[in-house]
Amino acid sequence: MSENLAQVRKDMIHRCTEAAQDFGHRLMFGMTTSLTLQSIPVPSHCALDLDVLHTVSSVKDKRLRTRRPSMQAHTWKPLVQADNVRINRHVYALDLIHTWAQLAPHVPLESLVSLGDSILHAQSITSSRSFRGSGGDHESVRQRFITTITSLPRFRAKPQCLLALNLIRTNVASPMESKSRMVLLKHGIPSPSTGYTVPDARFVSGATMTLDMAWPEYQMAVEYDGDHHRTDKAQWRRDQEKREWLRNRGWTVIIATGADVKDDVSTAEYAFNVARHLALRGATFDFSVLPRSIEEVAKQYRKSGSG
């Protein structure tokens, strides 16, 4: 996925640079264009035209005036508060937290949560590199995200954003991991730790072992395997080494794939399987045979203060 994102980003930079040069001045891009410029996966459910270049300005008077069908101008009043990103001397991108808020009216809540996960993951990686790989800064990145959104002045979809904040998590490496986690939440399964580092667990190489989703108190985990987990031999060997190490020490590791979340029947079977193994290990919770809406889940987490 990272290689594909890098190529899409490269192509987008080229398109945006050409557009800016045609207009004779630098341009600020927002919405899905900003995501692509910053290597963030674009939500699969989005009402915007993904083939259009989306520019952004702080007020209507400064909007790009063009009749080109390949470009669409937007206004984002909090633009001046954003920590915007210079892509090159012609192209700038609205910072990712503001981009997330700007996109909120155009995506369903589940996609908004998934997008928030992706942005937090990207920002946590950047933060870790800034601290020379020391890590441990993931929660502060999440808190900065929350603080930025809550402090924004009123905008069209702020209630939707505030609701989504209850469910976004750090250390979620792909939108499909987000989707598989939300399936479990909708069936009443307790929220797992995401990107969980297993204490004292290391590969032969010395690298630490992490789990996509884990309930460590029950030694229970779910790993989401995308296509590259089967086609990349090195990745496949790492997966086998990790899972054998964990199972030999009493962990239950369930493997989820795209087939487990493709339709209602598959997701129900997947959720029941995870619930059964958690219950066998002593977890108590109210399993919902029929999935609740993600809005109901988010409101529950907001009410309980566990977001």
Side-chain angles (χ1 to χ4, degrees), residues 37-266:
L37 287 170
Q38 298 179 76
S39 298
I40 302 296
V42 174
S44 56
H45 298 93
C46 181
L48 293 172
D49 186 340
L50 304 185
D51 293 325
V52 168
L53 297 180
H54 297 276
T55 62
V56 61
S57 58
S58 58
V59 293
K60 288 184 178 180
D61 290 346
K62 294 183 178 180
R63 281 196 304 183
L64 184 69
R65 300 188 183 280
T66 178
R67 293 184 178 181
R68 296 183 185 185
S70 61
M71 300 188 75
Q72 184 174 353
H74 303 269
T75 300
W76 179 247
K77 291 182 180 179
L79 175 64
V80 292
Q81 302 173 1
D83 186 17
N84 300 309
V85 178
R86 182 183 188 273
I87 304 299
N88 60 35
R89 64 192 179 95
H90 303 287
V91 176
Y92 286 74
L94 182 65
D95 91 36
L96 287 172
I97 300 177
H98 283 251
T99 299
W100 183 79
Q102 188 191 33
L103 274 166
H106 307 284
V107 297
L109 183 63
E110 188 161 336
S111 294
L112 191 62
V113 173
S114 179
L115 178 57
D117 288 349
S118 296
I119 290 172
L120 281 179
H121 182 64
Q123 293 188 326
S124 293
I125 291 174
T126 300
S127 176
S128 294
R129 287 172 180 168
S130 298
F131 286 95
R132 298 180 181 178
S134 60
D137 200 50
H138 302 300
E139 187 55 32
S140 66
V141 170
R142 181 170 176 267
Q143 287 305 317
R144 176 177 174 268
F145 193 113
I146 292 171
T147 300
T148 300
I149 295 299
T150 54
S151 63
L152 286 175
R154 184 178 178 180
F155 59 95
R156 177 180 169 188
K158 188 170 183 178
Q160 177 96 333
C161 289
L162 295 177
L163 195 57
L165 289 178
N166 294 282
L167 298 180
I168 64 170
R169 295 293 182 267
T170 58
N171 299 319
V172 182
S174 74
M176 289 302 290
E177 287 182 27
S178 295
K179 182 175 182 178
S180 61
R181 182 180 89 252
M182 283 185 277
V183 164
L184 301 181
L185 298 183
K186 287 190 284 187
H187 282 275
I189 294 171
S191 182
S193 296
T194 50
Y196 177 74
T197 299
V198 184
D200 304 319
R202 293 188 177 274
F203 291 97
V204 173
S205 66
T208 57
M209 292 183 182
T210 61
L211 293 163
D212 296 337
M213 290 179 276
W215 298 262
E217 64 272 37
Y218 304 112
Q219 286 192 297
M220 171 77 185
V222 172
E223 290 269 85
Y224 182 83
D225 280 6
D227 291 339
H228 73 284
H229 286 265
R230 297 184 296 276
T231 58
D232 185 320
K233 290 184 179 179
Q235 180 66 58
W236 185 86
R237 285 193 291 268
R238 281 173 60 85
D239 290 341
Q240 300 313 304
E241 180 186 347
K242 175 171 62 174
R243 292 160 190 175
E244 183 178 358
W245 190 97
L246 290 164
R247 286 165 176 156
N248 286 340
R249 287 158 179 80
W251 281 75
T252 293
V253 182
I254 293 176
I255 311 304
T257 68
D260 293 303
V261 293
K262 69 178 181 179
D263 53 40
D264 291 344
V265 173
S266 300

Side-chain angles (χ1 to χ4, degrees), residues 10-20 50-53 70:
K10 182 179 178 181
D11 295 341
M12 183 61 75
I13 291 174
H14 179 72
R15 286 185 63 196
C16 293
T17 301
E18 281 194 336
L50 304 185
D51 293 325
V52 168
L53 297 180
S70 61

